[in-house]
Amino acid sequence: MSDDIRFFQLNTGAKMPSVGLGTWQSDPGLVGQAVAIAIKVGYRHIDCAQVYGNEEEIGFVLKKMFEDGIVKREDLWITSKLWCTDHAPEDVPEALNRTLKDLQLDYVDLYLIHWPMRTKKGSVGFKPENLAQPDIPSTWRAMEALYDSGKARAIGVSNFSTKKLGDLLEVARVPPAVIQVECHPSWQQTKLHAFCKSKGVHLTGFSPLGSPGTTWFKGDVLKHPVLTMAAEKLGKSPAQVALRWGLQMGHSVLPKSTSESRIKENFDVFGWSIPEDLFAKFSEIEQARLMTASFFVHDTLSPYKTVEEFWDGEI
């Protein structure tokens, strides 16, 4: 196992930095500072989304970083995501234009369909009456046009099941380069991982530490005995071991933090590796999805009646 897994090559030929800073649930006022710290530490990958409500703040910081000569645009990998209200083909380019304006960029390196679910245009939140039937093939055709235009240098999806990704691959002219999903030692996505490998789609793991800071769901991923034991033996933190496990599994990771010490700690995952005997023990960890997306499920108002149906049995 090579000690340095600093990039993963996508099916577009582009090299995506393997560790990115997550910005979901990073408070306004703190997120810009976190991005600045991360870039100075050495991060070259920032994961954004319109719905996070902080792209404008991130844009100001990126502009300053470029102006001050700290980093060049071409050295950064910036991802953003299409929100559920903007799935109509005519709304897709408008949504990306808003994101580019907020981020003060001419292009994003990667643009993802955030969820395989549509909500009514202009609606806010997940009220059942806002849910609508998605039409992923038509949304994807609009994404392909963004790829053709160069405004999105790669396109992909997020929160898709193996089946939903397979259905998209059957109709896509431009195959998704990346699928971003929850992935950590307690939700290893074994089936999806194998499918992605066979199809040349790169998997990125969000919540790679099990989202210890989130208010939506509670995961004790970092307290699992396999992780704490490996951390002790390697002289690393459980968070570093969880991130390194992801890299050695072959997927990129998006740890989120606004704390300078944690941002630094989470990037110290190169130049060492988890030996095979310890790595094998990760397969013994009991599996449970933390992000169930129950907010997209409804008996009568959603196309998905159950969580099982939404994830096509992958729960």
Side-chain angles (χ1 to χ4, degrees):
M1 173 57 65
S2 157
D3 280 352
D4 269 8
I5 310 170
R6 288 186 177 268
F7 296 91
F8 288 106
Q9 188 156 356
L10 306 185
N11 59 21
T12 58
K15 285 183 169 179
M16 181 165 87
S18 59
V19 178
L21 181 76
T23 60
W24 178 48
Q25 293 201 321
S26 289
D27 294 333
L30 290 178
V31 71
Q33 195 183 329
V35 168
I37 291 164
I39 290 172
K40 286 172 183 167
V41 164
Y43 287 71
R44 291 295 177 263
H45 177 173
I46 311 293
D47 183 73
C48 310
Q50 188 146 42
V51 78
Y52 301 165
N54 52 23
E55 288 190 327
E56 198 172 354
E57 186 177 338
I58 292 168
F60 281 119
V61 172
L62 294 178
K63 185 170 186 274
K64 186 160 177 19
M65 292 271 150
F66 302 147
E67 284 173 353
D68 293 353
I70 290 163
V71 71
K72 292 190 180 88
R73 169 65 186 101
E74 57 268 29
D75 296 334
L76 283 188
W77 183 280
I78 309 291
T79 296
S80 189
K81 308 179 193 85
L82 176 80
W83 188 239
C84 307
T85 46
D86 296 314
H87 275 216
E90 64 274 16
D91 293 336
V92 174
E94 289 306 310
L96 179 56
N97 284 340
R98 284 197 303 275
T99 276
L100 291 174
K101 184 169 175 276
D102 285 348
L103 291 171
Q104 302 191 46
L105 300 175
D106 298 324
Y107 67 91
V108 290
D109 296 274
L110 177 63
Y111 198 48
L112 306 174
I113 296 179
H114 205 146
W115 286 95
M117 186 62 186
R118 189 171 175 177
T119 52
K120 287 173 186 167
K121 187 171 176 165
S123 65
V124 177
F126 302 113
K127 289 179 185 154
E129 58 269 26
N130 292 336
L131 303 177
Q133 179 72 43
D135 179 357
I136 297 302
S138 71
T139 303
W140 188 252
R141 283 192 292 275
M143 296 284 284
E144 289 173 329
L146 297 179
Y147 174 74
D148 295 338
S149 76
K151 283 186 174 182
R153 296 202 169 172
I155 51 175
V157 296
S158 179
N159 298 301
F160 276 45
S161 64
T162 306
K163 180 188 181 300
K164 287 182 177 61
L165 178 59
D167 291 347
L168 174 57
L169 282 165
E170 283 183 16
V171 300
R173 173 175 61 85
V174 179
V178 172
I179 179 168
Q180 188 184 123
V181 289
E182 176 189 341
C183 193
H184 46 74
S186 296
W187 188 248
Q188 298 186 14
Q189 296 275 17
T190 316
K191 182 182 174 186
L192 181 61
H193 241 299
F195 183 71
C196 286
K197 210 169 183 179
S198 74
K199 299 291 183 184
V201 178
H202 175 71
L203 191 149
T204 295
F206 72 72
S207 299
L209 309 176
S211 278
T214 188
T215 49
W216 282 33
F217 46 76
K218 206 71 196 142
D220 288 329
V221 174
L222 297 182
K223 292 179 183 159
H224 194 283
V226 168
L227 245 81
T228 53
M229 176 267 299
E232 207 170 304
K233 284 193 175 176
L234 294 165
K236 301 291 177 185
S237 70
Q240 288 170 325
V241 170
L243 295 170
R244 183 69 204 185
W245 168 84
L247 298 184
Q248 288 180 220
M249 282 294 287
H251 64 259
S252 45
V253 290
L254 301 171
K256 172 251 151 176
S257 182
T258 52
S259 143
E260 183 164 3
S261 60
R262 288 220 183 92
I263 289 169
K264 285 179 175 166
E265 179 190 312
N266 291 342
F267 201 65
D268 183 13
V269 290
F270 305 108
W272 60 278
S273 61
I274 304 167
E276 269 178 48
D277 58 329
L278 288 180
F279 195 78
K281 292 195 180 303
F282 281 74
S283 62
E284 300 164 13
I285 297 175
E286 193 181 339
Q287 297 295 291
R289 184 188 284 281
L290 295 175
M291 169 69 90
T292 61
S294 55
F295 41 80
F296 284 138
V297 168
H298 194 271
D299 284 347
T300 54
L301 297 169
S302 170
Y304 304 107
K305 313 297 175 223
T306 63
V307 166
E308 287 82 0
E309 195 185 337
F310 184 85
W311 295 110
D312 300 296
E314 291 174 21
I315 57 166

